[in-house]
Amino acid sequence: MIAFFTNNWMIKLGALLIAIALWSYTNGQVRVERLIIVQFTNDAIQRVPDSYRISSIQPDAFTVRVSVPVNQAGALRTTITPRLQLESDATQRGYQRFSITNGMLGLNDDIRIERINPDTVRDVRVELALITEEYLPVEIPQLQGVPKGINATLALEPTRVRVRSTREQFEAMLARNQKVTYQPITFSDVDPALHKTRTEKIKLVAQDTHLEVIDTVTATITFSPGNTAQREVAVPVRLLAPRDFYTRFSIELSQPQVVLTLRGPGPLLQALQPETELTAYVNLRTTMESGIPVDMSVGLLGPVWMSYDPVTIRVTATLVSARAVSEGQTPAAGLP
């Protein structure tokens, strides 16, 4: 067996080397076709000046059918994103064209481009636009996750922001009265039984990725209990008047107390103590004619979470002499 390899070993070695060379040559000559998807992104365009932005890439995707040696077919990528370098004078023209070649696609010389689809594509056109700054109004974002029965108010600061983009985009936005939009604000921890005011401050996240928003917008959200229940209470009416009012007038009210319909969170309304927490009053600081009844609104001092339905009473102010006042004919006491 050993003699088989050692006899005429030089001839046999030469034959082996020739066989390997023929296999390598024929393997390189056998070719197959493959389909490559070519796509472009703004990030793939290199050497873009800081004051410019890629406004369009046409086309931004197409397919190429190539002929490739069978020994390279396994390593061929089916999707490629070529990197294109802009020339220094591209900004003066506002665009640059790139011919579709092996070098542009990053393919070696052994690969042949057979067909491009669509067949109208001959090159790739990259357009640039000068970046400028404008102030645009802010769109109020949506509030999500606020429980039913809870009031939520939102305030923005600032309401106009400085934005960097292309002049064409600004003109299009202004024509549509478009504002800078932000992602919705979502809450998951607001208590449905909230009984006192709660305030949150949140920095907003811009929604349009084509705009570079320079200014930071802060939203202040105030949660308060909603007016989900009502309660009727009887409250005495007090008088609010200047100090010298009672030296000139005696006051007559059509009713000494009023029944008010209060609105607010149910648990808070039930726990409310009208005798100590509510003060109903009429404001006598307006000019009144002696002896002529006037219908006046009743004001109410109470907790900030509460509201009430409007009520009026009739008030009559009668001019009195200083002597009558000195003898003790003083009307009802005013508010402290």
Side-chain angles (χ1 to χ4, degrees):
M1 187 68 177
I2 296 176
F4 175 80
F5 291 101
T6 56
N7 292 337
N8 301 318
W9 66 272
M10 294 184 66
I11 296 175
K12 293 176 180 177
L13 178 60
L16 178 61
L17 293 176
I18 292 173
I20 293 174
L22 288 173
W23 179 84
S24 299
Y25 175 77
T26 55
N27 192 44
Q29 294 302 307
V30 178
R31 308 179 71 86
V32 294
E33 287 193 350
R34 292 290 186 268
L35 191 66
I36 300 176
I37 299 173
V38 183
Q39 58 188 14
F40 295 94
T41 64
N42 289 356
D43 294 336
I45 311 302
Q46 299 179 331
R47 298 177 61 183
V48 180
D50 293 338
S51 57
Y52 283 82
R53 175 180 296 176
I54 303 300
S55 58
S56 71
I57 304 175
Q58 296 296 330
D60 58 358
F62 55 87
T63 60
V64 176
R65 185 168 293 278
V66 297
S67 173
V68 56
V70 68
N71 61 345
Q72 299 181 31
L76 188 68
R77 291 177 297 166
T78 57
T79 302
I80 60 176
T81 303
R83 294 189 174 276
L84 307 179
Q85 288 195 1
L86 294 176
E87 298 174 355
S88 58
D89 59 349
T91 55
Q92 298 177 9
R93 296 190 305 269
Y95 70 92
Q96 182 172 335
R97 294 183 181 274
F98 296 87
S99 299
I100 301 174
T101 63
N102 282 43
M104 182 262 217
L105 298 177
L107 305 175
N108 60 46
D109 294 337
D110 292 338
I111 299 175
R112 295 196 300 263
I113 298 175
E114 299 290 344
R115 189 164 53 256
I116 299 174
N117 184 33
D119 55 11
T120 56
V121 175
R122 294 292 181 269
D123 55 27
V124 175
R125 179 186 172 100
V126 178
E127 296 185 353
L128 299 94
L130 182 65
I131 297 176
T132 185
E133 293 185 1
E134 289 282 356
Y135 278 89
L136 295 178
V138 174
E139 181 79 29
I140 297 177
Q142 295 181 351
L143 289 180
Q144 299 177 349
V146 180
K148 185 178 180 181
I150 298 297
N151 294 329
T153 59
L154 186 150
L156 299 178
E157 179 61 35
T159 58
R160 295 179 66 87
V161 291
R162 190 160 40 107
V163 176
R164 298 181 77 238
S165 187
T166 62
R167 172 54 52 191
E168 292 78 6
Q169 185 171 10
F170 280 133
E171 291 176 353
M173 293 181 68
L174 293 173
R176 298 191 300 266
N177 291 324
Q178 185 177 342
K179 301 179 180 180
V180 181
T181 57
Y182 289 84
Q183 295 180 8
I185 303 173
T186 302
F187 293 94
S188 59
D189 59 346
V190 180
D191 187 359
L194 184 72
H195 63 278
K196 63 179 181 180
T197 300
R198 167 186 166 185
T199 301
E200 297 280 351
K201 287 191 175 183
I202 296 176
K203 291 183 178 180
L204 302 185
V205 178
Q207 201 164 33
D208 191 342
T209 57
H210 296 290
L211 294 173
E212 181 185 351
V213 181
I214 300 175
D215 300 326
T216 300
V217 178
T218 301
T220 301
I221 303 97
T222 303
F223 301 98
S224 58
N227 294 336
T228 56
Q230 68 180 45
R231 175 185 173 186
E232 291 187 349
V233 296
V235 185
V237 179
R238 306 189 69 180
L239 304 178
L240 178 63
R243 291 182 178 276
D244 63 342
F245 192 86
Y246 303 126
T247 63
R248 297 179 293 116
F249 293 94
S250 64
I251 304 299
E252 179 183 352
L253 303 179
S254 60
Q255 55 192 76
Q257 66 178 11
V258 291
V259 176
L260 297 174
T261 300
L262 308 180
R263 301 183 186 277
L268 297 182
L269 279 180
Q270 293 302 319
L272 181 70
Q273 301 294 324
E275 300 81 4
T276 57
E277 298 183 64
L278 299 180
T279 300
Y281 66 93
V282 289
N283 186 356
L284 301 181
R285 296 180 183 273
T286 58
T287 302
M288 302 183 66
E289 296 185 20
S290 177
I292 299 179
V294 178
D295 290 332
M296 305 187 71
S297 298
V298 177
L300 183 65
L301 300 177
V304 294
W305 49 260
M306 178 196 67
S307 65
Y308 64 98
D309 292 348
V311 173
T312 61
I313 64 172
R314 182 158 294 184
V315 181
T316 304
T318 304
L319 189 63
V320 296
S321 63
R323 178 180 178 184
V325 173
S326 63
E327 292 176 354
Q329 299 178 10
T330 306
L335 289 175

